[in-house]
Amino acid sequence: AMAFVDMRMPPGWDGVETIQRLWQADARLQAVICTAYSDHPWDEVLDRLDVRDRLLVLKKPFDAIEVRQLAQALTAKWQMTRQADAQMSTLEEAVRERTLEITRTSEALRHSEERYRALVELSPDAILIEQEGRIVFANGAASRLFGADPPSALLGRALLTLVAPSDRADAAIAMADLAQGKEPRMIEEQALRLDGSAIDVAVTRLPFTHQGRPAIQVVARDISESKRLQVQLKHLATHD
């Protein structure tokens, strides 16, 4: 989790180079410089180490309680960061697998709309179909995600009205890419619920055929929990 490094360790590497070498081996290692003086100005030391949140300076003389508290705090921070990273990876993998599953299912059922409707109504993901600029289908999960009561409140709207203003340009580009035959891709954006509140979602837009005519299918999943963990991870990285 951490290393205490003296500034002066003759002969050979000084404390700064020792930390640089340690970070080459493990970029997540936290380092504490222990020193009563320095052979280099502190500005130079921090510039060489690229001022990171994993670097602290412990000035000599220090007592055992101070060192113990520092070690416990940094170790706890390291453990919580690893846990948050693991949770983030799990959530991101789940989103990728779900998107891939829905994409494959959509391809397999493209020519069977009755079966498709029965399947998507049971899907935990929000699924919308836009045709000629208007939403013509929304499953139950979409109604819940966007706060549509009754569900028919989504019908007739343009897809971009359900995207937060800050992300509409990127969403429009993704839809234009589909029209040009480019591969579908998952993007993260903020969806706009009917009550005006925003929610973080992972969205995949796919070319689709609805009643024999070209359309766009949208698959969206709530990733608010994933975003919350990102904020927590950022906080852990900058606070002991």
Side-chain angles (χ1 to χ4, degrees), residues 50-65:
D50 188 27
V51 188
R52 307 184 186 195
D53 64 280
R54 297 184 302 284
L55 175 67
L56 293 176
V57 176
L58 186 61
K59 298 286 287 185
K60 296 176 182 178
F62 45 78
D63 59 39
I65 294 177

Side-chain angles (χ1 to χ4, degrees), residues 89-166:
S89 298
T90 299
L91 286 171
E92 290 172 354
E93 182 61 27
V95 170
R96 285 192 293 268
E97 289 179 357
R98 174 60 64 181
T99 300
L100 182 59
E101 177 185 346
I102 292 295
T103 301
R104 289 172 175 170
T105 301
S106 174
E107 285 292 325
L109 302 179
R110 189 183 294 267
H111 303 294
S112 180
E113 288 192 13
E114 287 186 6
R115 189 178 173 192
Y116 169 79
R117 284 178 178 269
L119 178 68
V120 299
E121 281 299 339
L122 297 175
S123 171
D125 296 313
I127 299 178
L128 302 166
I129 297 176
E130 183 191 71
Q131 192 170 53
E132 297 178 354
R134 299 295 172 185
I135 295 172
V136 296
F137 173 81
N139 69 348
S143 301
R144 293 188 293 273
L145 180 67
F146 292 99
D149 186 14
S152 59
L154 289 172
L155 303 183
R157 295 174 177 268
L159 278 179
L160 289 181
T161 64
L162 300 179
V163 180
S166 59

Side-chain angles (χ1 to χ4, degrees), residues 146-207:
F146 292 99
D149 186 14
S152 59
L154 289 172
L155 303 183
R157 295 174 177 268
L159 278 179
L160 289 181
T161 64
L162 300 179
V163 180
S166 59
D167 291 327
R168 283 179 186 169
D170 290 340
I173 291 173
M175 293 169 67
D177 288 345
L178 287 182
Q180 296 173 8
K182 295 183 180 180
E183 286 293 323
R185 55 191 176 91
M186 184 188 73
I187 60 176
E188 294 184 5
E189 63 187 33
Q190 281 200 320
L192 200 62
R193 292 166 55 87
L194 297 191
D195 63 2
S197 61
I199 186 172
D200 294 306
V201 294
V203 177
T204 303
R205 296 176 174 86
L206 306 161

